[in-house]
Amino acid sequence: MSKKILFVGAGAIGSYLGAFLSRAGHAVTLVDAWAEQVETIRRQGISVTGPHDPFQARPDAVHLHESQRLPRDFDMAFVAMKVYDTEWATQLALRHLRPEGFVVSSQNCWPDPRVAAVAGAGRSLGLIMSKIGVACWRPGEVERGMERGGNKGHDVFRVGEHDGRITPRAQEVAEMLKVVDGSLTTDNLWGERWSKLCANSMGNPVQGMSGLGSAEIAGSEVGRAITIHLAGESARVGLALGYTIPKFNGETAERWADSTRRETYQALDEMLTPKTTSTRNWKASMAQDVTKGRPTEIDYMNGYVVAKGQEVGVRTPVSVATVEVVREIDAGTRKPEAQNIGLVLKRAGV
């Protein structure tokens, strides 16, 4: 059954999901402050490329300043903004939902409590997107860079309620997203969210601080070193918090957490070392933010790991130094360059 769907945010993930859902027959409206994006979508739609057949979608697009004129009868709203914009985006979404409508957080970091603080947990759903990378470098063009998950038995989308119940609305959203890739409901939203946080925390800031792509970092001994340290710290904090953390980036949380042991570290380093030169040099979301001059999510990504680590008594020295360096890049006092990786490890005493 066709649904009326609002996306607050028409950047990379909002445009990508919105385009697929629009093509599937849903009535999709995108709202964004990026004027060129809105005007381009209105004029020619969204061009979608990736590990699938390219296509053109024609969802509705609305400038942020026009959004007050939207009706209040949407079935659901996806918040697809940077996490620091969660509260106002949720408020906007909530205003235009029908009484039974709900908000889906399709974001990185730890956004679900922020959504629930505005909408209430009863009108909030979490959406974890695993092993998917999308970019929107030019208006009206969105590109997916990672391999398609479903063909390899991996479910990209995990939809979950805050209280762990498997509900009809969670199942409905999961079923809708199957037009994009593998999708399921989960009774472990918080464990899934921490798993994604670990995956983001070990990769995004390294690209953001260095200006390097994923293949360049993986091909560098120092790049793999900071990656393993960040993954280990994030995993140890999550396990100390009591989360059941699904496997991320090729290994279990317990294995990443054990990276302080020499044998485990060496095995992880071998796993991360590229076996071929054909690996794509992808730029993750934080690298895209730095390139575009936008504030990063560092305080809500690695900064969140640091804060929760302090609560449970888990040391996170590499994460602390990473946050410091990316903050300096955000402030304009440091340029993104490869040498920043070594600087972080030096500051952390590694």
Side-chain angles (χ1 to χ4, degrees):
M1 185 181 297
S2 176
K3 294 292 181 179
K4 192 169 184 180
I5 305 171
L6 178 66
F7 277 83
V8 183
I13 198 65
S15 294
Y16 191 75
L17 298 185
F20 271 93
L21 293 173
S22 176
R23 186 178 67 160
H26 299 287
V28 174
T29 299
L30 307 175
V31 175
D32 205 276
W34 184 8
E36 290 177 291
Q37 175 79 328
V38 171
E39 290 300 321
T40 302
I41 294 171
R42 284 176 168 176
R43 186 172 62 253
Q44 63 191 45
I46 303 172
S47 172
V48 185
T49 57
H52 47 69
D53 292 336
F55 67 93
Q56 199 85 4
R58 300 301 297 260
D60 291 334
V62 174
H63 292 286
L64 181 60
H65 69 271
E66 299 173 329
S67 61
Q68 71 271 19
R69 297 202 295 269
L70 287 171
R72 303 190 175 194
D73 60 353
F74 286 89
D75 296 302
M76 64 190 74
F78 288 75
V79 172
M81 302 291 293
K82 295 298 177 183
V83 71
Y84 45 72
D85 288 323
T86 299
E87 284 81 1
W88 70 259
T90 304
Q91 185 63 59
L92 189 157
L94 199 61
R95 185 183 308 135
H96 297 287
L97 291 173
R98 61 185 178 85
E100 301 80 13
F102 52 89
V103 181
V104 183
S105 172
S106 51
Q107 302 165 275
N108 285 332
C109 305
W110 201 257
D112 304 283
R114 304 171 76 96
V115 171
V118 177
R123 300 190 75 182
S124 306
L125 266 183
L127 171 61
I128 318 300
M129 298 168 286
S130 173
K131 290 187 181 179
I132 181 172
V134 291
C136 188
W137 295 106
R138 290 177 293 275
E141 299 178 16
V142 64
E143 168 192 17
R144 178 173 173 185
M146 299 295 188
E147 291 182 342
R148 189 173 176 86
N151 292 345
K152 296 197 172 185
H154 170 72
D155 291 298
V156 168
F157 303 107
R158 296 95 187 278
V159 184
E161 296 279 2
H162 288 212
D163 61 7
R165 291 178 302 133
I166 302 297
T167 60
R169 68 180 188 181
Q171 292 173 319
E172 178 181 49
V173 172
E175 190 64 29
M176 287 169 45
L177 291 172
K178 287 181 179 178
V179 300
V180 186
D181 211 318
S183 180
L184 51 76
T185 53
T186 178
D187 59 2
N188 182 28
L189 175 64
W190 307 113
E192 293 278 8
R193 184 67 82 185
W194 196 274
S195 176
K196 180 63 186 291
L197 181 65
C198 290
N200 285 152
S201 294
M202 68 190 286
N204 279 30
V206 185
Q207 292 186 25
M209 74 172 71
S210 68
L212 302 175
S214 55
E216 292 169 312
I217 292 166
S220 158
E221 184 176 355
V222 71
R224 296 192 300 275
I226 191 172
T227 300
I228 293 169
H229 282 294
L230 290 172
E233 290 179 0
S234 302
R236 286 190 288 275
V237 172
L239 292 170
L241 288 165
Y243 296 126
T244 301
I245 306 171
K247 187 176 182 179
F248 62 91
N249 287 5
E251 263 300 352
T252 64
E254 289 78 9
R255 186 73 164 161
W256 289 113
D258 191 50
S259 58
T260 52
R261 290 179 63 246
R262 182 178 181 85
E263 296 82 358
T264 303
Y265 181 95
Q266 290 175 336
L268 292 169
D269 182 70
E270 173 65 21
M271 182 190 72
L272 292 176
T273 302
K275 307 302 186 291
T276 173
T277 57
S278 63
T279 304
R280 187 169 185 191
N281 201 38
W282 182 255
K283 293 290 183 73
S285 59
M286 192 173 293
Q288 296 173 38
D289 292 338
V290 171
T291 300
K292 295 176 181 180
R294 298 187 304 212
T296 71
E297 294 177 304
I298 192 64
D299 287 330
Y300 308 91
M301 190 173 289
N302 299 74
Y304 189 76
V305 173
V306 170
K308 300 307 285 187
Q310 291 172 342
E311 288 183 16
V312 294
V314 175
R315 294 184 66 252
T316 57
V318 179
S319 299
V320 169
T322 293
V323 172
E324 291 174 354
V325 168
V326 177
R327 280 178 178 170
E328 291 167 7
I329 292 170
D330 274 343
T333 59
R334 178 176 298 281
K335 294 182 179 180
E337 54 186 357
Q339 291 85 342
N340 288 332
I341 296 176
L343 174 64
V344 165
L345 295 175
K346 182 178 179 180
R347 285 188 182 181
V350 174

